[in-house]
């Protein structure tokens, strides 16, 4: 026999993110620019500001994550300038 409790707190696994509404989603879905939580909590600006994923570049100082399109664009966006390092190597191969 199962008892359904409509608003019970859910416990998510170690590889999961718990949405504000209690739903568990895979960690890799958090901050992927697609809302997977019905309440949008997996894409909240404060949560996603410094989260890196396969769409982003992590600055060498580890403090920032930027869109990959900002790498080697002639404008240093990382505080440490690491998004503009070694650009001549990258451009010579493209």
């Amino acid at each position: 026999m199962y008892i359904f409790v409509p608003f019970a707190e859910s416990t998510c696994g170690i590889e999961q993110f718990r949405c504000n509404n209690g739903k568990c989603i895979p960690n890799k879905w958090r901050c992927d620019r697609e809302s997977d939580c019905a309440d949008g909590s997996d894409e909240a600006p404060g949560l996603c500001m410094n989260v890196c994923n396969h769409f982003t570049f992590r600055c060498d100082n580890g403090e920032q994550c930027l869109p990959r399109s900002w790498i080697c664009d002639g404008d240093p966006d990382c505080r440490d300038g690491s998004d503009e390092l070694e650009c001549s190597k990258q451009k010579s191969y493209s």
Side-chain angles (χ1 to χ4, degrees), residues 7-25:
F7 297 106
E9 295 270 330
S10 67
T11 302
C12 299
I14 194 165
E15 296 295 322
Q16 295 179 311
F17 171 78
R18 184 179 176 276
C19 304
N20 288 346
N21 64 5
K23 179 182 176 184
C24 297
I25 62 169

